Amino acid sequence: MTIRGLLPSALIGAVASARSMTPMATIATARLAGRLTPGRLVLLDHPVFKLGALFMGVAELFGDKLKSAPDRTVLLGLVARVASAGIAGAALAPRGRERDGAAIAVAATIPLAYLTLDGRKRAMTRMGQTRSGLIEDALVVAAGALTVALAVRR
Protein backbone atom coordinates (compact mmCIF):
# COMPACT_ATOMS: atom_id res chain seq x y z
CA MET A 1 0.00 0.00 0.00
CA THR A 2 1.41 3.37 -1.02
CA ILE A 3 0.74 6.77 0.43
CA ARG A 4 -1.41 7.48 -2.65
CA GLY A 5 -4.14 5.31 -1.12
CA LEU A 6 -4.37 7.80 1.74
CA LEU A 7 -4.46 10.91 -0.46
CA PRO A 8 -8.28 11.21 -0.29
CA SER A 9 -8.01 11.25 3.50
CA ALA A 10 -5.52 14.13 3.38
CA LEU A 11 -7.66 16.03 0.87
CA ILE A 12 -10.84 15.62 2.91
CA GLY A 13 -8.88 16.93 5.90
CA ALA A 14 -8.08 20.03 3.85
CA VAL A 15 -11.78 20.41 3.07
CA ALA A 16 -12.63 20.16 6.78
CA SER A 17 -10.18 22.96 7.52
CA ALA A 18 -12.46 25.42 5.75
CA ARG A 19 -15.92 23.88 6.28
CA SER A 20 -16.23 21.47 9.17
CA MET A 21 -19.44 19.77 8.04
CA THR A 22 -18.72 19.49 4.30
CA PRO A 23 -16.75 16.22 4.56
CA MET A 24 -19.60 14.47 6.35
CA ALA A 25 -22.22 15.99 4.04
CA THR A 26 -20.38 14.91 0.88
CA ILE A 27 -19.93 11.37 2.17
CA ALA A 28 -23.59 11.25 3.25
CA THR A 29 -24.58 12.35 -0.25
CA ALA A 30 -22.45 9.62 -1.80
CA ARG A 31 -23.94 7.02 0.55
CA LEU A 32 -27.48 8.16 -0.31
CA ALA A 33 -26.54 7.71 -3.98
CA GLY A 34 -25.56 4.11 -3.26
CA ARG A 35 -21.80 4.63 -3.27
CA LEU A 36 -19.53 2.77 -0.88
CA THR A 37 -16.55 4.20 0.92
CA PRO A 38 -13.31 2.21 0.90
CA GLY A 39 -13.03 2.30 4.69
CA ARG A 40 -15.69 1.10 7.08
CA LEU A 41 -18.22 3.74 7.98
CA VAL A 42 -20.86 2.54 10.36
CA LEU A 43 -21.98 5.96 11.59
CA LEU A 44 -23.24 7.36 8.30
CA ASP A 45 -25.04 4.16 7.38
CA HIS A 46 -27.82 5.16 9.76
CA PRO A 47 -30.47 7.31 7.99
CA VAL A 48 -30.70 9.80 10.86
CA PHE A 49 -26.96 10.49 10.67
CA LYS A 50 -27.00 10.77 6.86
CA LEU A 51 -29.78 13.32 6.91
CA GLY A 52 -28.26 15.09 9.90
CA ALA A 53 -24.93 15.39 8.10
CA LEU A 54 -26.63 16.86 5.04
CA PHE A 55 -28.60 19.32 7.15
CA MET A 56 -25.51 20.40 9.10
CA GLY A 57 -23.52 20.83 5.89
CA VAL A 58 -26.14 23.12 4.37
CA ALA A 59 -26.69 24.99 7.64
CA GLU A 60 -22.98 25.68 7.95
CA LEU A 61 -22.89 27.23 4.47
CA PHE A 62 -25.59 29.69 5.51
CA GLY A 63 -24.28 30.29 9.03
CA ASP A 64 -20.82 31.15 7.80
CA LYS A 65 -22.16 34.32 6.18
CA LEU A 66 -23.49 35.73 9.46
CA LYS A 67 -21.56 38.58 11.05
CA SER A 68 -21.73 36.68 14.35
CA ALA A 69 -20.09 33.55 12.90
CA PRO A 70 -17.02 32.68 14.99
CA ASP A 71 -13.60 32.06 13.49
CA ARG A 72 -12.97 28.46 12.47
CA THR A 73 -10.07 28.28 14.91
CA VAL A 74 -12.10 28.73 18.10
CA LEU A 75 -12.04 25.61 20.26
CA LEU A 76 -15.49 24.35 19.28
CA GLY A 77 -14.74 24.96 15.61
CA LEU A 78 -11.50 23.01 15.81
CA VAL A 79 -13.20 20.16 17.68
CA ALA A 80 -15.88 19.93 14.96
CA ARG A 81 -13.19 19.95 12.24
CA VAL A 82 -11.15 17.27 13.94
CA ALA A 83 -14.19 15.02 14.44
CA SER A 84 -15.46 15.48 10.90
CA ALA A 85 -12.01 15.08 9.34
CA GLY A 86 -11.29 11.99 11.40
CA ILE A 87 -14.52 10.24 10.49
CA ALA A 88 -14.33 11.22 6.82
CA GLY A 89 -10.60 10.48 6.59
CA ALA A 90 -11.19 6.99 7.98
CA ALA A 91 -14.07 6.38 5.57
CA LEU A 92 -11.99 7.38 2.54
CA ALA A 93 -8.93 5.34 3.57
CA PRO A 94 -8.38 1.83 2.23
CA ARG A 95 -9.99 -0.91 4.30
CA GLY A 96 -7.74 -1.78 7.19
CA ARG A 97 -6.05 1.65 7.08
CA GLU A 98 -8.91 3.64 8.60
CA ARG A 99 -6.86 4.79 11.59
CA ASP A 100 -4.10 6.02 9.29
CA GLY A 101 -6.69 7.85 7.18
CA ALA A 102 -8.20 9.51 10.23
CA ALA A 103 -4.79 10.59 11.52
CA ILE A 104 -3.74 12.02 8.17
CA ALA A 105 -7.02 13.92 7.78
CA VAL A 106 -6.75 15.42 11.25
CA ALA A 107 -3.09 16.30 10.70
CA ALA A 108 -4.07 18.19 7.55
CA THR A 109 -7.10 19.90 9.11
CA ILE A 110 -5.58 21.67 12.08
CA PRO A 111 -2.79 23.71 10.46
CA LEU A 112 -4.86 24.35 7.34
CA ALA A 113 -7.68 25.78 9.48
CA TYR A 114 -5.35 28.62 10.42
CA LEU A 115 -4.15 29.10 6.84
CA THR A 116 -7.64 29.07 5.35
CA LEU A 117 -8.82 31.50 8.03
CA ASP A 118 -6.00 33.89 7.13
CA GLY A 119 -6.91 33.62 3.45
CA ARG A 120 -10.58 34.20 4.17
CA LYS A 121 -9.83 37.28 6.29
CA ARG A 122 -7.73 38.72 3.48
CA ALA A 123 -10.49 38.04 1.00
CA MET A 124 -13.07 39.62 3.31
CA THR A 125 -11.14 42.90 3.39
CA ARG A 126 -11.14 42.97 -0.41
CA MET A 127 -14.65 41.76 -1.23
CA GLY A 128 -16.70 41.47 1.95
CA GLN A 129 -17.87 38.59 4.10
CA THR A 130 -20.72 37.29 1.97
CA ARG A 131 -18.96 37.35 -1.39
CA SER A 132 -15.74 35.86 -0.05
CA GLY A 133 -17.76 33.21 1.78
CA LEU A 134 -19.69 32.24 -1.34
CA ILE A 135 -16.47 31.88 -3.31
CA GLU A 136 -14.91 29.83 -0.53
CA ASP A 137 -18.08 27.70 -0.33
CA ALA A 138 -17.93 26.94 -4.05
CA LEU A 139 -14.27 25.95 -3.89
CA VAL A 140 -14.61 23.86 -0.72
CA VAL A 141 -17.81 22.06 -1.73
CA ALA A 142 -16.33 21.30 -5.17
CA ALA A 143 -13.13 19.98 -3.59
CA GLY A 144 -15.09 17.85 -1.14
CA ALA A 145 -17.40 16.46 -3.81
CA LEU A 146 -14.52 15.68 -6.16
CA THR A 147 -12.47 14.03 -3.40
CA VAL A 148 -15.36 11.83 -2.33
CA ALA A 149 -16.43 11.05 -5.91
CA LEU A 150 -12.93 9.83 -6.78
CA ALA A 151 -12.63 7.74 -3.61
CA VAL A 152 -15.99 5.93 -3.50
CA ARG A 153 -17.27 3.04 -5.58
CA ARG A 154 -20.64 1.50 -6.48
Side-chain angles (χ1 to χ4, degrees), residues 65 67 120 124 127-135 137:
K65 310 311 169 291
K67 299 281 185 206
R120 174 70 186 278
M124 283 172 52
M127 62 183 80
Q129 183 172 1
T130 301
R131 189 168 167 207
S132 65
L134 290 173
I135 292 168
D137 287 348

Side-chain angles (χ1 to χ4, degrees), residues 2-152:
T2 65
I3 192 73
R4 189 183 339 182
L6 294 169
L7 183 60
S9 298
L11 294 174
I12 208 68
V15 168
S17 75
R19 293 290 178 275
S20 61
M21 296 296 118
T22 298
M24 299 296 285
T26 54
I27 290 174
T29 301
R31 297 297 278 197
L32 285 168
R35 305 285 192 234
L36 300 175
T37 56
R40 290 192 53 177
L41 183 64
V42 177
L43 186 65
L44 281 178
D45 283 337
H46 193 282
V48 171
F49 285 105
K50 279 186 217 176
L51 295 175
L54 288 172
F55 174 79
M56 294 296 291
V58 171
E60 180 181 36
L61 296 178
F62 285 102
D64 178 63
K65 310 311 169 291
L66 300 173
K67 299 281 185 206
S68 62
D71 286 346
R72 62 194 69 178
T73 56
V74 300
L75 181 61
L76 189 56
L78 285 176
V79 168
R81 284 167 213 304
V82 165
S84 179
I87 293 167
L92 298 182
R95 184 140 327 224
R97 305 274 320 264
E98 290 91 348
R99 287 183 187 203
D100 296 336
I104 286 172
V106 169
T109 297
I110 295 170
L112 287 175
Y114 289 91
L115 289 174
T116 58
L117 176 61
D118 182 62
R120 174 70 186 278
K121 284 182 175 182
R122 290 173 190 256
M124 283 172 52
T125 60
R126 280 188 237 125
M127 62 183 80
Q129 183 172 1
T130 301
R131 189 168 167 207
S132 65
L134 290 173
I135 292 168
E136 187 179 37
D137 287 348
L139 293 171
V140 171
V141 170
L146 182 60
T147 298
V148 171
L150 293 174
V152 298

